[in-house]
Amino acid sequence: MKNVAVIPGDGIGPEVINATLEVLEKVSPKTFNFQSVSMGGNAIDKYGEPLPAESLKICQNADATLLGAVGGPKWDNQPPENRPEKGLLGVRKGLKVFANIRPAKIFAPLASACPLRKDIADKGIDFIIVRELTGGIYFGKHESFTTPEGERAARDVMEYSEHEIRRIAHVAFKMAMGRRKIVTSIDKANILTSSRLWRSVVEEVAKEYPEVKLNHLYVDNASMQLIRVPSEFDVIVTENTFGDILSDEASQIVGSIGMIPSASLGEDNRGLYEPIHGSAPDIAGQDKANPIGTILAGAMMLRYSFNMSTEADKIEHAVDEVLREGLRTGDIYTEGTKLITGSQMKEAVIAKL
Ligand code: IPM
Ligand code: MG
């Protein structure tokens, strides 16, 4: 049995997770032992903290962790140290999953949901963002203080050490070797000292992959090039905050944030798998959420943690077929397609397996 820690989370999290567990059980019956774990706002309500020690321990002992989404307005007034998002960061750090892989690919049947001009989209969009996930501002020192003049002030530190950059660069170059062999490293080296270190370490690592072409882009320029010439990107490697922002941009380029899965990997095979969307409290409990991002995260889990690429392929093909038939949740609906609920989407995928 493969032990999977499951964090349904808040908002639409439980809906998209339940759909995914059914899909996994269907594609490979009696293979997984799912253990539900409390983390996020629901854990604050139940235990007074977003990531109880016991929850993290279950994830650390599992073969992989599958996560829905956490957070919501209900917990907006929690002190910074006790917000649901802190639980998420605690899981990422506690599992030491420093490499967050976010594929951005146009599903052919969804081409009409791409907001870019047709001649741009027609060149094909298929790139991967490799986002550093356990460093940078997210984990730097956060401070509020009062200036000598008595004004309120605050700072957040962006810090990277060499080994953190080196290991994420290796992930990106290795990934590029199995693809079109282009790595674009995105930084702000014209301003940030941490970016200058980033750039020089990435250049050192590049020497070990002579077949791969390395480009550097400043993050502001990158955000523009991603909508101007998305077909030119293959593997993007970037630090935590830039990766957070650019992956949301990428998700819209390919149609919807509801479609994109992610895998967060560390030194071993035990990854953390989640959709890149949030908890969408505005549509929670209404059966409107698109489960595809999480279902595809489940497929990534099969591929990366369990070496089950046949089953992963099956899930991805099933999703593709369902989209081809014109079935759409609200986030990807366009005229001429058929609007269905989240659970109908799940059923449709299962029916293809
Ligand atoms: C993401 C999310 C998280 C992040 C939030 C919910 C803390 O936006 O996974 O991209 O910023 O990493
Ligand atoms: Mg984000």
Side-chain angles (χ1 to χ4, degrees):
M1 282 303 247
K2 303 188 187 308
N3 291 309
V4 180
V6 179
I7 304 175
D10 312 313
I12 60 170
E15 303 166 31
V16 294
I17 281 290
N18 286 338
T20 303
L21 299 188
E22 280 187 48
V23 168
L24 290 171
E25 189 58 34
K26 174 77 186 188
V27 79
S28 185
K30 301 195 177 74
T31 311
F32 308 102
N33 175 27
F34 298 119
Q35 187 171 3
S36 184
V37 177
S38 183
M39 191 278 279
N42 62 89
I44 296 174
D45 291 348
K46 236 190 268 168
Y47 305 103
E49 51 180 336
L51 179 59
E54 178 62 18
S55 292
L56 179 59
K57 203 189 285 162
I58 294 171
C59 297
Q60 284 169 329
N61 290 332
D63 299 315
T65 300
L66 192 61
L67 189 157
V70 296
K74 182 174 175 197
W75 303 283
D76 273 352
N77 295 326
Q78 288 286 327
E81 281 314 303
N82 216 48
R83 289 182 60 98
E85 291 81 0
K86 271 283 166 187
L88 176 58
L89 299 196
V91 170
R92 290 173 177 171
K93 195 76 169 179
L95 291 176
K96 300 195 175 102
V97 286
F98 60 84
N100 182 226
I101 318 289
R102 299 188 162 184
K105 185 174 168 173
I106 291 231
F107 282 79
L110 276 191
S112 61
C114 172
L116 299 184
R117 235 173 39 218
K118 194 169 175 311
D119 61 302
I120 297 176
D122 280 353
K123 291 198 178 112
I125 301 176
D126 179 3
F127 61 89
I128 290 185
I129 297 182
V130 178
R131 168 190 176 193
E132 201 290 326
L133 200 63
T134 53
I137 299 179
Y138 278 68
F139 293 92
K141 199 166 180 187
H142 305 289
E143 274 179 300
S144 298
F145 60 100
T146 309
T147 66
E149 293 75 31
E151 212 185 354
R152 286 176 306 156
R155 65 178 148 238
D156 301 278
V157 176
M158 184 188 283
E159 182 175 326
Y160 272 103
S161 58
E162 214 178 322
H163 81 276
E164 293 177 293
I165 305 169
R166 196 174 300 281
R167 65 188 180 183
I168 191 82
H170 276 291
V171 171
F173 280 99
K174 285 197 180 111
M175 205 144 257
M177 284 300 288
R179 297 174 46 98
R180 302 198 316 273
K181 300 197 172 70
I182 308 166
V183 168
T184 306
S185 173
I186 294 175
D187 62 36
K188 189 71 185 172
N190 48 347
I191 298 292
L192 303 177
T193 311
S194 57
S195 279
R196 287 191 275 270
L197 176 67
W198 179 278
R199 199 174 269 224
S200 79
V201 174
V202 169
E203 273 170 4
E204 285 164 29
V205 173
K207 295 201 180 99
E208 298 178 41
Y209 302 87
E211 287 174 52
V212 177
K213 165 115 184 59
L214 170 65
N215 301 312
H216 298 283
L217 282 183
Y218 296 140
V219 62
D220 48 349
N221 184 21
S223 71
M224 185 169 73
Q225 301 307 334
L226 274 174
I227 50 176
R228 201 180 71 87
V229 283
S231 61
E232 291 184 9
F233 291 89
D234 180 21
V235 175
I236 287 173
V237 62
T238 192
E239 68 86 41
N240 206 342
T241 307
F242 298 160
D244 178 46
I245 298 168
L246 293 176
S247 60
D248 271 32
E249 183 186 358
S251 72
Q252 273 311 297
I253 291 175
V254 299
S256 164
I257 197 165
M259 295 290 301
I260 302 204
S262 87
S264 303
L265 308 171
E267 300 289 0
D268 59 22
N269 285 338
R270 278 187 295 187
L272 167 68
Y273 300 86
E274 49 178 319
I276 79 161
H277 63 68
S279 59
D282 53 320
I283 56 163
Q286 300 168 35
D287 201 11
K288 285 184 180 164
N290 183 354
I292 292 180
T294 315
I295 290 172
L296 293 176
M300 286 183 102
M301 174 177 84
L302 300 186
R303 198 181 297 285
Y304 291 119
S305 283
F306 299 138
N307 234 329
M308 295 169 65
S309 55
T310 313
E311 289 82 356
D313 284 345
K314 276 189 196 164
I315 294 177
E316 286 161 4
H317 286 149
V319 167
D320 202 56
E321 274 182 63
V322 166
L323 295 174
R324 257 174 228 290
E325 286 176 3
L327 302 180
R328 302 283 189 273
T329 43
D331 57 315
I332 47 175
Y333 175 78
T334 48
E335 226 182 272
T337 60
K338 183 163 184 254
L339 184 64
I340 58 169
T341 63
S343 39
Q344 286 171 325
M345 181 59 90
K346 169 204 71 183
E347 291 302 340
V349 171
I350 289 177
K352 298 287 176 202
L353 289 169

